[in-house]
Amino acid sequence: MPWWNPFNKSEEEEVRSLVPRFPLVFEKAVEDWAKFKAGTAARLFTASQHREIIAWFADFPRLWDTIKPNFEVVNQTVVPGGPDLYGQVERFVKKLRANVEIKNALGIAPLIVAGILIAGLFGVAGAVWAIGYVRKQGNISKMIDGVVAGKIPPTVLREAVKVEKQSIFGQVESILQYAVVGGAVVLAWPLLKKLTKKI
């Protein structure tokens, strides 16, 4: 490990997993958003629960901005005409921006952090933040499920998730089949290196 590496081995592995894991993180966020909206409409969440959940979703665009350079490269060069993951996430972020107060950030040239392209505006600190943000998703999901379970019929929740997914993914049933996009970053590494040399 180079002397300047700011991460321990575990953290470095987590940073490297941010891109391959993102499709699943994204799909879960869409599902949770649908359930959260259903629970909010039924006035099931306490004020503190609502604030905590909204705060997590308000930061989702920041997660996307932090690692988006990886998917820009993949979409444009590795899988042209392939899964529209980039466009799907952009649609979801646009939807969040219309419903949640989100601070916009100016993007600048990306840099390599633990082998992943990270938006330069966030850099190492952004990578560390992203690790914690993704870890917290499990707690947010449990909170939402714990509130709506037994109070909203499962069929209603399934329909809410289906409608939400269709608005983001079109007719795609699940983005699980697109998890390969994250893996494509490994294949794209020579292209990523060329890109960063130009920065």
Side-chain angles (χ1 to χ4, degrees):
M1 181 184 297
W3 66 269
W4 45 263
N5 192 318
F7 305 109
N8 60 41
K9 186 174 181 180
S10 175
E11 289 172 332
E12 187 171 345
E13 288 175 357
E14 287 192 81
V15 171
R16 285 185 176 143
S17 75
L18 286 174
V19 170
R21 288 175 60 193
F22 181 75
L24 301 181
V25 171
F26 171 45
E27 181 176 42
K28 185 60 178 168
V30 173
E31 293 174 357
D32 287 341
W33 179 248
K35 295 175 186 177
F36 174 63
K37 288 197 302 182
T40 298
R43 299 185 179 184
L44 298 179
F45 295 98
T46 65
S48 62
Q49 288 171 332
H50 193 273
R51 279 193 302 271
E52 186 173 355
I53 294 167
I54 281 289
W56 190 88
F57 280 106
D59 275 339
F60 187 88
R62 181 183 173 193
L63 174 67
W64 175 233
D65 287 342
T66 302
I67 61 173
K68 180 161 53 172
N70 298 277
F71 292 95
E72 288 173 336
V73 173
V74 169
N75 264 13
Q76 292 171 14
T77 55
V78 177
V79 285
D84 184 27
L85 178 66
Y86 185 93
Q88 292 164 354
V89 182
E90 288 289 306
R91 284 193 290 277
F92 184 57
V93 166
K94 183 178 180 181
K95 183 174 285 195
L96 288 178
R97 290 187 190 282
N99 291 276
V100 180
E101 186 176 344
I102 297 169
K103 294 180 180 179
N104 291 317
L106 297 175
I108 60 176
L111 54 91
I112 295 289
V113 175
I116 296 296
L117 277 170
I118 300 291
L121 181 67
F122 305 115
V124 172
V128 172
W129 170 84
I131 291 171
Y133 179 81
V134 171
R135 284 176 183 166
K136 189 175 181 181
Q137 184 178 33
N139 293 334
I140 294 298
S141 295
K142 286 178 183 176
M143 183 184 299
I144 293 171
D145 286 340
V147 169
V148 301
K151 297 173 184 173
I152 297 179
T155 52
V156 173
L157 289 176
R158 283 196 296 271
E159 185 62 23
V161 170
K162 179 181 177 182
V163 169
E164 193 69 36
K165 284 188 173 184
Q166 286 178 339
S167 73
I168 302 297
F169 307 142
Q171 296 304 310
V172 177
E173 288 297 320
S174 170
I175 201 169
L176 288 172
Q177 60 189 299
Y178 294 158
V180 69
V181 173
V185 172
V186 176
L187 299 176
W189 184 240
L191 296 170
L192 297 179
K193 284 170 61 175
K194 288 179 184 177
L195 173 70
T196 54
K197 284 179 181 177
K198 295 178 182 178
I199 296 171

